[in-house]
Amino acid sequence: MIRYVLGRLISLVISLIVASIVIFAVIEVIPGDPAAFMLGVNARPDTIAALRAEMGLDQPVILRYFNWVTGMLQGDFGRSWTYKTPVADLISDRIWVSLPLAIYALFLSTIIAFPAGIYAASRRGGAGDITIMGATQLGVAIPNFWFAMILVLLFAINLRWFSAGGFPGWDNPLQAIKSLTLPAIALALPQAAILARVMRSSLLDMLGEDFIRTARAKGLSRRQALWRHAVRNALIPVLTIIGLQFSFLLAGGIIIEQIFFLPGLGRLIFQSISARDLIVVESVVMLLVFVVILVNFAVDIAYAAVDPRLRTKT
Amino acid sequence: MTLLAIKDLSLTIDDTHILHDVSLTVAHGEIVAITGESGSGKSMTALSVMGLLPHNANPSGSITLNGTDILQTSEPDLCNMRGNTMGMVFQEPMTALNPVQTIGAQVAETILIHEKTSKADAQKRAAAILERVGLKVPPSRYAHELSGGQRQRVVIAMAIALRPKLLIADEPTTALDVTTQARILDLLRDLVREFDMGLLIITHDLAVVANLADQIVVMQKGNVVEAGATAHLLAHMQHPYTRALFGASSHMVELPPTLASSPLLAVTNVARDYPMARKTPLGPRPMFRALEGITFQIDQGERIGLVGESGCGKSTLTRAILGLEDVQSGTITVDGAPVFTGKQPNLDVRRKMQVVFQDPYSSFNPRHRVDRLITEPFHLLPNPPTGTARDEAITNALRDVGLSPDDATKYIHEFSGGQRQRIAIARALIIEPALIIFDEAVSALDVSVRAQVLDLIADLCRKRPLAYLFISHDLSVVRTVTDKVMVMKAGKIVEQGETETVFTNPQHQYTQTLIAAAPKLPAITV
Amino acid sequence: MNRNLIIGSTLTAVFLLLAAASFFWTPYDIQSLDIPNKLQSPSGGNLLGTDHFGRDILSMIMMGARTSIAVALVAVGIGMAIGVPLGLLAAARHGSLLDELIMRGNDLVFAFPSLVIAILITAVFGASAVNAIIAIGIFNIPVFARLSRAAALPLWERDFILAARVCGKSPTRISIEHILPNMTNLMIVQGTIQFSLGILAEAALSYIGLGAQPPTASWGRMLADAQTLVSIAPHTALVPGFAILLMVLGLNLMGDGLRDWLDPRIRVTRA
């Protein structure tokens, strides 16, 4: 088990290193002179020179990369050129909107998908199965940002159950959660549809396995065999999808934040792109990728908790 | 006293008739064996008794177990009976256990479903049962940590935990090695005596049937063709199918004599290591020695057998001889030239060897027609025949193995298992190699088909000098189709010599164990 | 033929025809603005109504179908053309360093959702339909690489591959001759699914302004334009939304139908 976790940790670190090199290369090396790029064609040479100095562009590429990485490790993400404040401050304000939103959506997606998938699998071919599968077919096809618009139209504008957007801050947790609810539903439902389909087909695969027949021969009913023997085994492929979904929820959140006027990372990144503030873009992208890689690591550990075969092997 | 009485059981699945008026009885403490070839309906009969038929199955007749008609019993009542009054053991121990639960928990589950008892008590009893079935590992283990034989013991423990009145075993030893098979059969026999339990065993292996069963039921295409007490039935077979079946099981072929000739394949002092997973990160990789000090020779036209249990290194040796993998030390040469030449295969050597595999269902690319399949070895020829010469070669190859030239344009799914093995042989023979490796080539076939394929091999030997290495776990088959035999254990050849000599007077202790463990058909006059 | 396949391929065919027809004819010219006629509800004159510039929405949907299909199709093409050979190579060299590198590379790309790739590209090169294609295409590569490797590995264990090796065939040749033909069904089904995901991704990218730029019509941008108008002219948001929904639904149904028709054992990944 320790060896397994250690192995995953090593690959986590390698992934982070390679990802940071890729991001650094795209943002700071490919454009040629990032300072000139950020300031645009009409910039005065002395402004460019000032930015160059601030970004440390006179130093060799390797050294700049090294400084960037060691800076981040100490919580220093550089200074935003447009906001004139440390990027770390900008991010820490906003991540407490984006991250809770993604987690909230993942939670909703899971609690909807698991029962739906298990129910559909246990009633294979029945009316319940057909209804759920039809609904997921629609859910998979709905663009989440359009779904968000419809939710706003329905629940905020017509029914006035929720506010159409904005975020009151975490001083009032209940209000904060309420303002994240519509965005989380918009994000979660399409993902829940995917997850329910995976859960169902994974369960049906398991129900065809020999050990289910063995369990039935012991005297377990079809449903008991499903719950006691198929569900845990079916979780293994489902976990993979949950891990992948988290990155989609985080990225999808960037779009949904726009619709609900949430002050999250999405707003920050779009404002930075239009302002050509590469320093902010670079750090936010690195942060997103870091979270995704971390979640994948967590999923790998969860595998080992579910599957004893992983604990003893390598 | 009758425990189980199946009367006029008929079964259709989606309008296909599977069983026709099957009747049989099992008494307390009696072992009844159902035997027959694939498609005879033996397994469906067993599943009918358990009430575990597929949804679309439609049974009729009656199955009375201990006074209850299974076919008239509701599903919840059947659940109460399964594991309690009747238990079942399946063929494939590798997949029969839940991979994410400990074996102890899986055995305890049988007790917990049927009895109101504490978890701790159930676990204690489970441990005792696992010990009773001869398992020597703690109940906290998972299935993947166990061998096939150990897993089958766990499955048996689950089935007998509550001392059911009837145990059904569907090919319980087919996936196991002979020595393991013998031990599992002993265990079943002991349990029957100890619990006064009825045992309904399904097996295609007539030698197992003859040695184990009190009663034999022979099935063919969903019908019971003959049934009776074992000794009586073996002595007075009535039905022609029964006779054919037993005849095919002890089928002997007539090999032409070998002529003194020159060496073809020379294997000298070969060793092969495989790296295993590191024990500590970045530490040295421990090596697993798959082959050690292997030395033997096959002459032109000589027929050699290789027997040994799974994991003994047979497949590693096959791949090394075929030049697909290198060896750590020693040499393998064909006509003096090394078989392994790095990345670029030496086609001159390769075209002297071909191979026939065990599984007729995975031996062919399903997307290619037969003509393309059997001409694949032409890749080894410097000037492969084209046009009419190619057509002629295909026609001859198919005729040689008893198939029609028209079969050339068909796809492989249109053929039965036996026909596929014929096609595999045609593919091996088309470039007239000097040596063929038969890798368990008849092991997956029904006995009657197996007899035909063995006859075909003997026929081919009569037509041209053919040397082969015949790898098999089935001692009786090896005995009839080889001149010499080698016995392999844990990567070493422990004994080799003239086939008859080795079989009648085995020298090495392992050979003796192997021969003793193999179930033998009693001498029968067919 | 099954019901999924019939409904799915019909829906898909409708959009393909709409897109094809737009090369020759649309009801109105979408370049010409007609402000007095803006935000009209669907009527005989404009079957699906008009937008805030008075442009005919049906014509925009037809032109937008072209963009969506082109972007998604090319992106799937990129994913297959690079991903499948990588997957085959990794499977042929199973357990080697190369295999490990390809799989780790895949994992790494999975850490960059296509939206993040699009953000990176846009930040440096500016927004365009081509960037959307590249972003979605890059993300498709590991999907096909993983899938083809996973499909190829069990095939490599089959005896007919061993027979081909005994006949002296090289791993490359075996991959093309024996492995590839045995996974075409899977690739067709997964290709359909990726196509539908590409449509969704393109819509999302152009919705946030990282995809096709004006004057190229796109469904995502139609929705972005409609966002502030949704309460006064719901049809401006509903029509493009349903276009995306139906196109994606059609492709998904077609994918499921194809699977049932070709080989029900196929398992696709959808994420």
Side-chain angles (χ1 to χ4, degrees):
Chain A
M1 182 69 186
I2 294 167
R3 286 196 48 205
Y4 176 78
V5 175
L6 215 65
R8 294 289 94 193
L9 257 173
I10 292 170
S11 90
L12 167 96
V13 172
I14 294 174
S15 301
L16 283 175
I17 293 173
V18 179
S20 65
I21 292 175
V22 169
I23 293 168
F24 184 81
V26 171
I27 298 280
E28 294 211 22
V29 181
I30 292 179
D33 185 347
F37 176 82
M38 281 169 70
L39 295 171
V41 278
N42 299 324
R44 300 212 320 265
D46 54 323
T47 333
I48 296 178
L51 181 60
R52 283 183 63 89
E54 188 177 330
M55 290 175 73
L57 292 181
D58 313 318
Q59 295 164 317
V61 173
I62 309 279
L63 194 66
R64 270 160 53 205
Y65 170 75
F66 189 73
N67 286 340
W68 178 57
V69 172
T70 47
M72 279 192 299
L73 288 175
Q74 294 157 1
D76 174 14
F77 290 77
R79 264 179 87 82
S80 159
W81 181 251
T82 43
Y83 292 88
K84 306 289 179 199
T85 48
V87 178
D89 293 351
L90 290 172
I91 291 175
S92 63
D93 284 350
R94 286 156 175 88
I95 194 143
W96 294 115
V97 177
S98 296
L99 211 52
L101 177 60
I103 294 169
Y104 191 2
L106 190 69
F107 169 74
L108 285 180
S109 157
T110 314
I111 61 159
I112 296 168
F114 273 42
I118 294 172
Y119 180 84
S122 67
R123 306 283 163 97
R124 183 186 196 171
D129 182 22
I130 292 169
T131 315
I132 289 175
M133 282 302 103
T136 60
Q137 202 55 274
L138 273 180
V140 169
I142 289 183
N144 58 13
F145 56 91
W146 182 61
F147 186 49
M149 287 166 68
I150 306 282
L151 286 179
V152 171
L153 183 64
L154 219 62
F155 293 103
I157 297 176
N158 286 345
L159 295 171
R160 298 186 174 278
W161 290 356
F162 294 89
S163 63
F167 185 72
W170 285 103
D171 301 331
N172 185 343
L174 224 63
Q175 279 303 317
I177 288 177
K178 196 180 171 196
S179 69
L180 290 182
T181 298
L182 275 191
I185 291 175
L187 275 171
L189 278 188
Q191 298 298 314
I194 296 173
L195 201 57
R197 293 181 79 86
V198 174
M199 186 79 206
R200 174 182 177 271
S201 71
S202 174
L203 265 176
L204 289 180
D205 282 352
M206 286 306 146
L207 287 176
E209 291 286 331
D210 282 355
F211 62 81
I212 295 297
R213 195 179 53 181
T214 314
R216 298 268 289 132
K218 278 192 227 177
L220 289 173
S221 70
R222 206 176 295 279
R223 195 157 303 167
Q224 283 172 318
L226 176 103
W227 278 102
R228 296 195 196 178
H229 293 279
V231 170
R232 191 160 159 206
N233 280 288
L235 275 183
I236 295 164
V238 170
L239 275 175
T240 312
I241 302 298
I242 290 182
L244 278 176
Q245 286 202 342
F246 190 78
S247 61
F248 278 82
L249 289 172
L250 205 58
I254 292 175
I255 302 177
I256 299 296
E257 281 169 14
Q258 298 289 88
I259 299 169
F260 290 94
F261 305 105
L262 295 175
L265 290 174
R267 289 272 288 287
L268 179 64
I269 207 164
F270 288 120
Q271 281 160 357
S272 306
I273 287 178
S274 46
R276 294 190 165 193
D277 193 339
L278 290 185
I279 301 169
V280 176
V281 174
E282 183 180 53
S283 301
V284 175
V285 167
M286 187 62 223
L287 186 75
L288 289 175
V289 171
F290 171 72
V291 174
V292 171
I293 292 177
L294 207 64
V295 167
N296 287 337
F297 171 74
V299 167
D300 282 344
I301 302 302
Y303 277 151
V306 173
D307 192 342
R309 285 165 291 188
L310 283 176
R311 275 176 255 164
T312 42
K313 255 192 272 169
T314 54
Chain B
M1 199 192 100
T2 306
L3 168 67
L4 170 74
I6 300 179
K7 200 161 182 314
D8 299 333
L9 175 65
S10 294
L11 181 68
T12 56
I13 294 180
D14 290 340
D15 299 328
T16 315
H17 290 271
I18 307 292
L19 299 175
H20 308 268
D21 295 336
V22 170
S23 298
L24 63 91
T25 60
V26 181
H28 290 279
E30 187 182 44
I31 301 177
V32 176
I34 306 182
T35 191
E37 297 182 299
S38 35
S40 61
K42 354 182 247 302
S43 291
M44 278 300 164
T45 310
L47 290 174
S48 307
V49 178
M50 290 299 285
L52 285 176
L53 288 168
H55 276 302
N56 44 1
N58 184 17
S60 64
S62 72
I63 302 172
T64 318
L65 174 65
N66 213 23
T68 315
D69 186 348
I70 302 282
L71 296 182
Q72 307 301 326
T73 308
S74 70
E75 177 60 28
D77 290 339
L78 279 175
C79 283
N80 286 333
M81 291 177 74
R82 290 188 205 114
N84 204 357
T85 335
M86 53 191 177
M88 185 159 179
V89 177
F90 301 94
Q91 171 171 354
E92 197 37 80
M94 302 314 273
T95 51
L97 294 171
N98 186 342
V100 304
Q101 256 183 23
T102 63
I103 54 172
Q106 291 183 61
V107 177
E109 189 177 34
T110 309
I111 301 167
L112 285 167
I113 311 166
H114 296 289
E115 284 181 16
K116 283 199 168 58
T117 179
S118 71
K119 231 178 178 162
D121 174 62
Q123 276 163 358
K124 222 170 74 193
R125 283 166 63 187
I129 294 155
L130 283 169
E131 212 176 307
R132 170 64 194 90
V133 297
L135 196 73
K136 292 183 180 65
V137 299
S140 57
R141 289 295 181 86
Y142 289 96
H144 69 276
E145 302 169 294
L146 272 54
S147 71
Q150 289 174 319
R151 291 185 204 200
Q152 199 62 306
R153 286 177 196 271
V154 177
V155 177
I156 293 173
M158 285 195 288
I160 59 136
L162 295 171
R163 300 195 165 214
K165 296 190 166 59
L166 176 72
L167 180 65
I168 300 174
D170 186 0
E171 304 273 5
T173 57
T174 306
L176 305 174
D177 285 325
V178 278
T179 50
T180 318
Q181 158 166 297
R183 288 195 290 267
I184 294 287
L185 291 177
D186 284 344
L187 171 66
L188 287 174
R189 197 182 285 125
D190 285 354
L191 291 170
V192 166
R193 302 289 174 255
E194 187 182 330
F195 297 171
D196 194 29
M197 173 172 77
L199 172 63
L200 184 64
I201 184 169
I202 317 290
T203 177
H204 69 284
D205 190 329
L206 294 167
V208 168
V209 173
N211 290 312
L212 183 73
D214 303 315
Q215 300 274 337
I216 298 181
V217 178
V218 182
M219 287 185 70
Q220 182 198 20
K221 292 179 184 155
N223 293 292
V224 173
V225 295
E226 193 161 358
T230 303
H232 184 264
L233 186 137
L234 291 179
H236 312 277
M237 287 182 213
Q238 299 298 319
H239 199 277
Y241 179 74
T242 316
R243 284 188 211 159
L245 204 58
F246 279 87
S249 301
S250 50
H251 186 73
M252 305 283 271
V253 298
E254 203 62 35
L255 284 182
T258 42
L259 308 165
S261 65
S262 54
L264 174 63
L265 173 78
V267 177
T268 318
N269 210 12
V270 160
R272 173 84 169 95
D273 294 327
Y274 283 109
M276 292 193 298
R278 290 184 179 89
K279 287 223 169 63
T280 52
L282 306 174
R285 277 174 173 273
M287 288 300 200
F288 171 72
R289 179 138 283 203
L291 297 175
E292 188 173 352
I294 303 282
T295 301
F296 68 91
Q297 180 178 312
I298 300 180
D299 289 345
Q300 304 271 4
E302 194 175 35
R303 291 139 327 206
I304 295 210
L306 175 64
V307 296
E309 298 185 298
S310 50
C312 73
K314 287 179 297 189
S315 327
T316 308
L317 182 60
T318 311
R319 283 197 298 274
I321 292 173
L322 289 168
L324 300 176
E325 284 173 12
D326 200 5
V327 293
Q328 262 70 39
S329 67
T331 56
I332 304 176
T333 57
V334 168
D335 282 341
V339 293
F340 186 80
T341 49
K343 273 196 167 166
Q344 215 55 30
N346 181 352
L347 298 187
D348 286 335
V349 173
R350 288 281 181 97
R351 78 175 66 107
K352 289 174 183 159
M353 293 184 292
Q354 278 297 305
V355 61
V356 176
F357 298 105
Q358 169 175 6
D359 182 2
Y361 294 89
S362 98
S363 291
F364 302 98
N365 187 339
R367 302 259 157 185
H368 292 170
R369 289 175 205 276
V370 167
D371 56 348
R372 186 164 174 196
L373 291 173
I374 65 171
T375 52
E376 188 162 41
F378 281 170
H379 185 71
L380 293 165
L381 300 179
N383 300 304
T386 51
T388 47
R390 179 176 175 273
D391 294 343
E392 210 167 285
I394 293 166
T395 305
N396 288 338
L398 288 173
R399 280 222 176 97
D400 278 352
V401 297
L403 292 171
S404 149
D406 301 338
D407 291 333
T409 53
K410 293 183 184 162
Y411 286 97
I412 198 68
H413 64 83
E414 298 172 59
F415 296 92
S416 69
Q419 287 172 319
R420 290 181 196 206
Q421 282 314 65
R422 287 173 188 271
I423 295 170
I425 295 173
R427 172 170 65 186
L429 285 174
I430 200 160
I431 51 167
E432 308 205 343
L435 174 69
I436 294 188
I437 296 180
F438 290 104
D439 187 357
E440 300 275 5
V442 297
S443 303
L445 304 176
D446 276 327
V447 278
S448 53
V449 181
R450 184 173 74 195
Q452 290 164 12
V453 173
L454 291 177
D455 280 339
L456 171 66
I457 292 173
D459 260 353
L460 294 169
C461 288
R462 274 189 283 275
K463 280 186 197 151
R464 75 189 79 164
L466 182 65
Y468 56 74
L469 179 65
F470 196 98
I471 301 167
S472 180
H473 68 279
D474 188 329
L475 300 181
S476 64
V477 169
V478 170
R479 191 169 183 172
T480 175
V481 294
T482 61
D483 309 309
K484 286 184 185 163
V485 69
M486 303 183 286
V487 181
M488 210 169 161
K489 189 197 179 197
K492 292 180 193 149
I493 292 176
V494 295
E495 182 162 0
Q496 57 179 316
E498 299 286 330
T499 303
E500 268 318 301
T501 321
V502 171
F503 274 85
T504 46
N505 187 15
Q507 296 301 309
H508 194 275
Q509 192 223 328
Y510 178 68
T511 317
Q512 292 163 0
T513 317
L514 215 53
I515 291 174
K520 278 162 284 291
L521 269 177
I524 314 162
T525 43
V526 182
Chain C
M1 289 293 252
N2 52 52
R3 203 186 46 188
N4 279 350
L5 190 54
I6 293 168
I7 299 174
S9 43
T10 311
L11 272 174
T12 309
V14 167
F15 283 101
L16 288 176
L17 283 175
L18 279 179
S22 74
F23 282 99
F24 311 103
W25 173 83
T26 51
Y28 294 85
D29 179 8
I30 63 158
Q31 307 294 0
S32 64
L33 311 185
D34 185 8
I35 307 288
N37 199 23
K38 69 177 181 180
L39 299 178
Q40 295 295 312
S41 294
S43 66
N46 301 87
L47 282 177
L48 297 176
T50 61
D51 74 352
H52 58 299
F53 288 130
R55 292 175 295 188
D56 177 51
I57 290 183
L58 175 61
S59 308
M60 303 231 347
I61 290 286
M62 290 171 70
M63 299 298 281
R66 223 157 92 177
T67 315
S68 283
I69 291 169
V71 169
L73 212 55
V74 177
V76 171
I78 292 174
M80 273 198 190
I82 302 175
V84 173
L86 278 178
L88 286 175
L89 190 64
R93 303 276 189 82
H94 178 50
S96 70
L97 186 66
L98 185 72
D99 178 24
E100 188 69 13
L101 276 178
I102 291 175
M103 292 322 287
R104 292 287 147 240
N106 276 340
D107 290 348
L108 192 73
V109 179
F110 269 126
F112 290 81
S114 55
L115 183 67
V116 173
I117 299 177
I119 286 171
L120 269 179
I121 296 176
T122 313
V124 177
F125 299 103
S128 73
V130 175
N131 288 348
I133 291 176
I134 295 172
I136 303 168
I138 289 178
F139 197 73
N140 272 332
I141 295 172
V143 172
F144 283 102
R146 264 194 194 184
L147 189 73
S148 52
R149 179 178 177 274
L153 280 182
L155 287 171
W156 273 98
E157 299 295 312
R158 303 270 294 263
D159 286 339
F160 70 84
I161 300 298
L162 210 49
R165 289 178 64 204
V166 169
C167 294
K169 291 190 171 166
S170 67
T172 315
R173 189 169 176 149
I174 291 174
S175 290
I176 295 168
E177 203 170 294
H178 290 297
I179 306 283
L180 199 56
N182 280 294
M183 49 190 226
T184 43
N185 286 349
L186 175 65
M187 292 301 142
I188 290 170
V189 173
Q190 186 72 43
T192 318
I193 302 296
Q194 292 310 116
F195 190 6
S196 80
L197 291 175
I199 301 274
L200 278 175
E202 191 277 332
L205 290 180
S206 48
Y207 172 77
I208 51 172
L210 300 187
Q213 296 300 303
T216 315
S218 99
W219 294 344
R221 231 193 25 267
M222 290 171 76
L223 282 174
D225 292 341
Q227 195 177 346
T228 47
L229 310 165
V230 66
S231 48
I232 40 172
H235 72 276
T236 55
L238 290 177
V239 173
F242 273 111
I244 299 169
L245 177 72
L246 290 176
M247 170 103 215
V248 173
L249 186 68
L251 283 167
N252 282 336
L253 288 174
M254 191 165 92
D256 284 1
L258 278 172
R259 181 202 53 211
D260 293 342
W261 186 49
L262 294 169
D263 183 356
R265 287 163 304 169
I266 288 180
R267 286 277 168 268
V268 297
T269 48
R270 212 192 294 243

